[in-house]
């Protein structure tokens, strides 16, 4: 029997089987080929979706808007100033109103419970564009990118360096466990994922013939990796006061040329973006002035190297999000 996820929410990969994730990846490949070859695919004419953004984004917003328009979907974007959600109107009430008007709802914001609550009341598919705990649409893009580069997923060695208990560390650990990828979190112990999630990921990994490993040792973490992945050290919404502590904890986990040499010769570098690899951003310039650090989670040398596939990842957000929209609304 084929995979059918019509009407399903897309809130976290813990909710999806490896077979369902594979279905979405294969669908994304088809849409990518059609996009590249100029083949129209306005399969969802007459559908409408709304994007609720409590946290701003370049890639997530553009990916959802272009994916929707390519599919023939009407798209409404609501930023924090354009919606009464959580201020004058409760989340359940907002969900029930939007569910009467739209065929699907995307949420990008803070606590996972918000998107889960939207899903309980909306009556239409709800998609998680990012919460503080999980980032499932990014996971599909990352998996697709790895498969494009290596021709497979199962058996790859993947290392995440940095704050391993943020939404990316959490989500990547689950994604790797689901798809048979050996996952290593290389981070200070105080920034390891929550124990309940580690236990759940290890259980899933065992079922899929891979392992979950956590280490504080950079050499151990990076050795023989096929993929080295990192993320910014302070996530959106966190106070500026945490920069000093986070830099102290994570400075030695910076992805630089020495780290990449520890990985396999054909290893790739990945990052979900945005990245502080130079001082060409406001925050980058401020950090350089205050802490004397001109490159943070990754050096410019690695970011701009041939091993870097960060812009392939960024493009794949569009193709994989298109697959999620289509598969849940068709």
């Amino acid at each position: 029997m084929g995979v059918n996820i019509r009407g399903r929410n897309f809130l976290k990969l813990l909710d999806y089987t490896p077979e369902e994730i594979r279905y979405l990846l294969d669908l994304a490949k088809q849409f990518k080929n059609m996009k590249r070859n100029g083949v129209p695919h306005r399969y969802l004419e007459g559908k409408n979706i709304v994007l609720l953004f409590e946290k701003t984004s370049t890639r997530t917003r553009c990916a959802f808007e272009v994916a929707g328009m390519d599919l023939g979907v009407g798209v409404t974007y609501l930023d924090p100033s354009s919606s009464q959600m959580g201020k004058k109107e409760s989340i359940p009430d907002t969900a029930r109103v939007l569910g009467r008007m739209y065929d699907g709802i995307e949420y990008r914001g803070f606590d996972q419970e918000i998107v889960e609550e939207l899903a309980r009341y909306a009556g239409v598919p709800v998609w998680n564009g990012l919460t503080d705990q999980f980032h499932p649409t990014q996971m599909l893009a990352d998996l697709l990118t790895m498969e494009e580069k290596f021709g497979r997923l199962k058996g790859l060695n993947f290392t995440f360096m940095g704050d391993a208990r943020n939404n990316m560390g959490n989500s990547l650990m689950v994604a790797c466990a689901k798809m048979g990828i050996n996952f290593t979190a290389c981070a200070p112990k105080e920034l390891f994922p929550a124990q309940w999630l580690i236990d759940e990921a290890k259980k899933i990994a065992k079922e899929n013939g891979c392992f979950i490993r956590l280490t504080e040792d950079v050499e151990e973490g990076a050795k023989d990796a096929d993929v080295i992945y990192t993320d910014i050290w302070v996530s959106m919404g966190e106070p500026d006061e945490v920069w000093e502590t986070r830099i102290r904890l994570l400075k030695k986990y910076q992805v630089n040329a020495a780290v990449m040499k520890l990985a396999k010769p054909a290893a790739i570098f990945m990052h979900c973006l945005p990245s502080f690899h130079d001082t060409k951003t406001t925050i980058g310039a401020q950090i350089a002035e205050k802490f004397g650090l001109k490159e943070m989670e990754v050096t410019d040398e690695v970011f701009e190297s041939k091993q870097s596939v960060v812009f392939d990842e960024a493009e794949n957000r569009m193709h994989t999000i298109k697959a999620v929209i289509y598969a849940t609304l068709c």
Side-chain angles (χ1 to χ4, degrees), residues 52-61 77-80 106 108-110 129-130 135 236-237 273-274:
L52 292 174
F53 274 59
E54 292 191 311
K55 287 185 178 180
T56 57
S57 168
T58 300
R59 282 151 300 282
T60 302
R61 177 180 176 178
Y77 171 78
L78 296 177
D79 63 23
E106 181 272 353
R108 178 182 172 91
F110 296 93
L130 173 143
H135 198 356
M236 188 185 304
L273 302 181

Side-chain angles (χ1 to χ4, degrees), residues 115-183:
V115 76
E116 300 276 354
E117 192 169 17
L118 282 169
R120 282 196 294 273
Y121 289 94
V124 297
V126 173
W127 311 300
N128 180 1
L130 173 143
T131 64
D132 292 343
Q133 288 77 39
F134 295 106
H135 198 356
T137 57
Q138 180 69 51
M139 293 308 98
L140 293 180
D142 292 341
L143 291 170
L144 178 59
T145 304
M146 285 188 278
E147 190 161 78
E148 288 176 339
K149 300 307 175 184
F150 295 104
R152 64 187 175 96
L153 291 175
K154 194 169 183 65
L156 292 177
N157 296 324
F158 183 104
T159 297
F160 179 81
M161 304 191 72
D163 185 352
R165 38 115 229 215
N166 71 6
N167 49 24
M168 288 303 301
N170 291 342
S171 298
L172 287 165
M173 181 169 64
V174 172
C176 288
K178 289 276 186 178
M179 303 311 289
I181 301 167
N182 298 316
F183 176 85

Side-chain angles (χ1 to χ4, degrees), residues 269 273 275 277 298-305 308 310-311:
F269 169 73
L273 302 181
S275 169
H277 58 97
V298 59
T299 62
D300 195 58
E301 178 184 11
V302 171
F303 186 88
E304 297 292 354
S305 71
S308 176
V310 298
F311 298 110

Side-chain angles (χ1 to χ4, degrees), residues 191-239:
L191 298 182
F192 281 178
Q195 190 59 50
W196 75 266
L197 188 59
I198 295 172
D199 293 342
E200 183 66 19
K202 285 184 174 181
K203 178 183 174 183
I204 296 168
K206 186 176 181 180
E207 295 171 355
N208 294 304
C210 58
F211 63 74
I212 303 295
R213 179 177 62 167
L214 297 96
T215 180
E216 294 185 272
D217 187 272
V218 172
E219 185 170 347
E220 180 185 8
K223 184 176 174 57
D224 293 329
D226 294 293
V227 181
I228 299 288
Y229 200 120
T230 192
D231 189 14
I232 55 176
W233 291 341
V234 175
S235 298
M236 188 185 304
E238 292 189 288

Side-chain angles (χ1 to χ4, degrees), residues 226-299:
D226 294 293
V227 181
I228 299 288
Y229 200 120
T230 192
D231 189 14
I232 55 176
W233 291 341
V234 175
S235 298
M236 188 185 304
E238 292 189 288
D240 290 342
E241 294 74 41
V242 305
W243 271 110
E244 185 172 3
T245 301
R246 210 61 61 76
I247 288 171
R248 175 178 55 80
L249 286 171
L250 292 173
K251 191 173 182 180
K252 77 172 186 177
Y253 297 94
Q254 180 191 70
V255 179
N256 50 40
V259 168
M260 294 303 297
K261 284 180 182 178
L262 292 168
K264 291 181 180 178
I268 60 174
F269 169 73
M270 301 181 73
H271 193 307
C272 57
L273 302 181
S275 169
F276 297 125
H277 58 97
D278 55 29
T279 59
K280 297 176 183 178
T281 61
T282 301
I283 293 177
Q286 290 173 349
I287 295 299
E289 182 178 352
K290 188 172 182 179
F291 299 104
L293 196 63
K294 294 184 178 180
E295 302 163 308
M296 284 185 265
E297 75 279 2
V298 59
T299 62

